Amino acid sequence: MKKILLLILCATLSFALLSCKKEKNTVISEADSQIPHKLKNIDSNTRQYLEGKHVFLLLGYGYNDEAFVEKTRAEITEKFGLKTEDSDGLVEIAVYPDDFLKGSSARISLLYGMLEEENLAGIVILGAPESTNASLARLQDKNDGIYPFPVFSLFPQDDMLGSEATATFVLDYAQKAGILDGEDIEHTPDFDADTLIANSIQTMLNPREPIPATEDLLAFVQKIVGPNRTITRYIDTESGLQSQNHFIFE
């Protein structure tokens, strides 16, 4: 009788332990499903590097309409996690002019205040408004003239020399609309901007792959753009000089 009771007790304990193990595995699986797609397979060194950091994404001219912003928010949430007041994702999104209003006026100069105390892994800007480079220059000065993170300026409508001086690289179309007679011209090229954003952010995640300079920078930017477009260095029409960090494609 004692042997029978002992066997029943052992069976009950085994079943309880097995149930706990299954429950634990279920919890782990549910937690893993909450990890953004692009962050599931990063290694421990990269995870440690990104601890407390985030990427800042600014959507400006040509990329600030409601439909594009909502689509981009959804893509970022799925791939990297969206950083908001209520969630601690990897990417924070700001939209110009909506997030830069002071009274009834939009001021890109507020960008510096948004970023000066932030611990950043990088900045990606699409359609930079005029004078964006001034805020970026202040960030450079705060860090002794050198960013501790990459800055990618895509399709800017800012002063080009200022953009080149304050970005790791500038990417633009060979022909695009600009700012004429003080009127802002919005232009969205026929290009998969969400893929370009994702590729740009992805390159900022690995601290062991520093952004190359000069000659190797072209190949680096080509990987971000992808194989369907061929990029070339921008050549100034007046001086004939070739830019080291400004690239164009058609």
Side-chain angles (χ1 to χ4, degrees):
M1 186 65 178
K2 290 183 179 179
K3 289 183 178 181
I4 295 175
L5 289 174
L6 183 60
L7 288 173
I8 293 174
L9 179 60
C10 290
T12 301
L13 288 173
S14 297
F15 179 77
L17 290 173
L18 182 61
S19 297
C20 289
K21 185 176 182 180
K22 286 183 177 179
E23 183 179 350
K24 184 177 180 181
N25 286 339
T26 300
V27 171
I28 292 174
S29 178
E30 289 174 353
D32 185 66
S33 68
Q34 301 301 314
I35 300 175
H37 173 64
K38 295 288 188 179
L39 302 184
K40 285 186 176 181
N41 298 318
I42 60 175
D43 58 38
S44 58
N45 289 335
T46 301
R47 194 176 299 278
Q48 183 178 8
Y49 165 74
L50 293 175
E51 183 69 29
K53 292 184 174 70
H54 68 277
V55 175
F56 185 85
L57 172 62
L58 171 58
L59 302 178
Y61 293 131
Y63 303 91
N64 55 4
D65 64 276
E66 184 177 354
F68 182 82
V69 171
E70 289 307 310
K71 182 173 179 287
T72 301
R73 288 187 194 279
E75 292 272 350
I76 291 297
T77 299
E78 177 186 358
K79 294 177 179 177
F80 301 102
L82 185 64
K83 178 179 173 60
T84 67
E85 292 181 356
D86 301 319
S87 61
D88 191 23
L90 179 65
V91 181
E92 178 183 4
I93 297 179
V95 181
Y96 184 88
D98 294 356
D99 295 327
F100 294 84
L101 294 176
K102 189 170 185 180
S104 58
S105 301
R107 299 188 180 181
I108 192 62
S109 58
L110 298 176
L111 179 64
Y112 176 75
M114 290 180 178
L115 301 180
E116 62 174 326
E117 300 300 330
E118 296 297 307
N119 190 11
L120 297 174
I123 299 174
V124 181
I125 304 176
L126 275 76
E130 187 176 4
S131 297
T132 300
N133 71 91
S135 289
L136 294 177
R138 292 183 66 189
L139 280 178
Q140 281 181 320
D141 293 341
K142 183 176 182 293
N143 293 282
D144 298 323
I146 301 175
Y147 297 120
F149 47 78
V151 177
F152 301 165
S153 183
L154 315 174
F155 319 122
Q157 296 205 24
D158 194 9
D159 172 72
M160 194 51 66
L161 290 178
S163 297
E164 293 175 359
T166 55
T168 306
F169 72 80
V170 178
L171 179 66
D172 207 351
Y173 274 73
Q175 296 180 348
K176 72 177 183 66
I179 299 177
L180 303 175
D181 299 326
E183 180 182 358
D184 298 333
I185 306 298
E186 294 190 359
H187 175 60
T188 305
D190 178 19
F191 187 78
D192 185 359
D194 286 314
T195 297
L196 185 59
I197 292 171
N199 290 349
S200 295
I201 295 172
Q202 188 68 40
T203 66
M204 297 175 172
L205 304 188
N206 197 332
R208 292 170 299 177
E209 296 181 5
I211 310 299
T214 61
E215 293 302 320
D216 294 332
L217 186 57
L218 187 148
F220 173 83
V221 179
Q222 181 68 68
K223 288 182 180 179
I224 293 176
V225 173
N228 294 330
R229 302 291 180 99
T230 300
I231 66 169
T232 57
R233 294 185 184 277
Y234 172 78
I235 298 177
D236 184 75
T237 55
E238 295 183 3
S239 66
L241 295 176
Q242 188 179 76
S243 175
Q244 292 296 310
N245 72 332
H246 181 183
F247 305 94
I248 60 173
F249 61 98
E250 296 181 1

